[in-house]
Amino acid sequence: MLLEFEQPIVRLEEKLAEMKELAENSKVNVSEDIKSLEKKIQTLKEETYKNLTRWQRVQLSRHPDRPYTLDYIYSITDDFIELFGDRTVKDDKAMVGGLGTVDGQTVMFIGQQKGRNTKQRQMRNFGMANPEGYRKALRLMKMAEKFNIPIVTLIDTPGAYPGFEAEERGQGEAIARNIRDMFMLKVPVICIIIGEGASGGALGIAIGDRVLMLENTWYSVISPESCSSILWRSWDYKEQAAEALKLTAQDMKGFGLIDGIIKEPLGGAHRNIPWMCNELKKNILEELKALSTMDANERIDLRIEKFSDMGSVIE
């Protein structure tokens, strides 16, 4: 999938491919021209991705080739075992979770999962969890706490499912209970936004000792399109809404709402998935090492203090 702001890069890459083909099929020496164009392409890439607007970062976060939760989990674990069901209603396919080993350390992974094609997207409900999904997540967190296993949540959702049936089964209560109980978990909790982090749907599994964001992701109470439709009665102003919302990883770090930003390959996580998975794994292990040295009560106190300080005004 080609994004609009990437078109100038693609045009130069096509021209480069033509020059290389010409060099192979003829005796014309264009090696210097090829080197010059390659340098120009690299410079253009660096300038383009360094100066992305907030809306362009939102577009990158939704790129269909980006790795999703299970892609990361299967890449960084040796023996992932998925666990199912909330023991009350059913298994929510939009919320996945289970146990896996990362360099000898057992970890409970939980996260929203999107689909690659139409059938998968319907099965996964586009990554929008129902109440049973959040209850499944909490059940797995409590299990991890019981066996002293650290928790890693991977967040990628356009929001909790807003359907009538979800509200009937207590969507708001399920998310609120997760937020409350995650504050009191005695094990280390690391929350990482790997794509979209929208509203309470994201926050329902995002209360942790460390909250990190990938470089080209967003985290906000509302999506730019929904904000635009409320303020201007149209989706046409989504770019302005994105600027006003200040929802990028860089914005969140500046506001003190997250603890760190995980670098992505040039062009986005989908450009070099093995590298991105390894970078995520490295950050998880570093944070787990730091958190494991702390007492459980100390972690809980710092967790509560961190979130309580958010939004405070000093006069």
Side-chain angles (χ1 to χ4, degrees):
M1 177 182 170
L2 177 64
L3 299 174
E4 186 178 350
F5 63 86
E6 295 176 315
Q7 289 179 358
I9 298 171
V10 172
R11 283 196 290 268
L12 286 180
E13 287 177 336
E14 289 173 350
K15 186 176 179 181
L16 177 64
E18 290 173 1
M19 290 177 67
K20 287 182 177 179
E21 187 178 355
L22 176 66
E24 289 178 4
N25 299 332
S26 68
K27 296 181 180 179
V28 179
N29 184 4
V30 291
S31 58
E32 289 301 318
D33 294 323
I34 288 174
K35 287 180 182 179
S36 176
L37 188 55
E38 284 176 338
K39 186 177 180 181
K40 185 177 180 180
I41 290 171
Q42 183 63 24
T43 301
L44 180 59
K45 281 182 177 180
E46 290 173 357
E47 290 177 355
T48 299
Y49 293 113
K50 182 182 178 181
N51 299 297
L52 291 174
T53 66
R54 291 180 174 91
W55 173 245
Q56 288 169 342
R57 290 195 187 276
V58 170
Q59 289 179 296
L60 268 183
S61 76
R62 295 170 174 169
H63 199 288
D65 294 333
R66 278 183 77 90
Y68 294 147
T69 293
L70 287 176
D71 297 320
Y72 285 117
I73 292 174
Y74 281 117
S75 177
I76 68 179
T77 62
D78 302 320
D79 51 1
F80 179 66
I81 301 172
E82 189 172 353
L83 302 172
F84 302 91
D86 69 337
R87 301 297 186 266
T88 304
V89 178
K90 63 178 181 179
D91 182 59
D92 188 346
K93 301 298 183 185
M95 186 76 73
V96 297
L99 295 165
T101 304
V102 184
D103 283 6
Q105 168 70 63
T106 302
V107 177
M108 178 67 80
F109 287 94
I110 299 166
Q112 291 100 352
Q113 175 67 21
K114 295 177 177 177
R116 293 288 175 195
N117 53 44
T118 302
K119 188 174 181 180
Q120 288 181 3
R121 287 172 189 140
Q122 288 177 330
M123 181 186 76
R124 299 292 183 184
N125 202 27
F126 301 89
M128 296 186 292
N130 278 280
E132 49 270 24
Y134 291 99
R135 292 180 179 125
K136 174 170 78 170
L138 186 58
R139 180 178 75 82
L140 299 185
M141 291 178 200
K142 294 290 188 181
M143 181 190 295
E145 183 181 42
K146 181 178 180 180
F147 295 102
N148 196 31
I149 296 171
I151 299 165
V152 173
T153 68
L154 302 177
I155 298 140
D156 186 12
T157 180
Y161 184 59
F164 181 76
E165 301 87 353
E167 298 300 338
E168 265 190 333
R169 294 196 297 274
Q171 184 75 287
E173 184 275 340
I175 293 172
R177 185 181 293 272
N178 277 28
I179 293 172
R180 184 196 68 182
D181 289 358
M182 286 186 77
F183 275 114
M184 304 309 296
L185 290 170
K186 295 178 182 178
V187 294
V189 183
I190 300 170
C191 307
I192 305 173
I193 297 159
I194 61 170
E196 299 184 273
S199 193
L203 201 58
I205 58 168
I207 305 297
D209 303 297
R210 297 287 186 272
V211 180
L212 309 173
M213 291 179 69
L214 267 60
E215 186 179 2
N216 295 308
T217 62
W218 63 275
Y219 194 20
S220 177
V221 71
I222 194 170
S223 70
E225 294 94 333
S226 297
C227 178
S228 174
S229 67
I230 290 172
L231 295 181
W232 291 285
R233 299 291 186 268
S234 168
W235 280 20
D236 296 339
Y237 301 93
K238 52 187 179 290
E239 291 92 344
Q240 293 95 312
E243 291 298 316
L245 286 168
K246 293 181 171 55
L247 38 57
T248 66
Q250 295 74 18
D251 293 323
M252 295 297 106
K253 187 69 170 66
F255 294 144
L257 301 178
I258 63 169
D259 300 296
I261 299 172
I262 300 176
K263 187 175 177 59
E264 293 187 21
L266 187 65
H270 56 288
R271 296 293 183 182
N272 191 340
I273 293 176
W275 185 92
M276 189 70 254
C277 291
N278 187 62
E279 191 70 10
L280 190 79
K281 178 181 177 180
K282 184 177 74 173
N283 277 268
I284 288 172
L285 290 173
E286 287 175 358
E287 296 297 349
L288 285 178
K289 184 179 179 181
L291 291 170
S292 63
T293 61
M294 300 168 63
D295 177 72
N297 291 327
E298 182 186 0
R299 278 197 303 266
I300 291 171
D301 289 342
L302 289 173
R303 198 183 301 157
I304 293 171
E305 181 181 343
K306 178 173 73 170
F307 282 89
S308 298
D309 285 344
M310 291 181 184
S312 60
V313 178
I314 302 174
E315 294 183 357

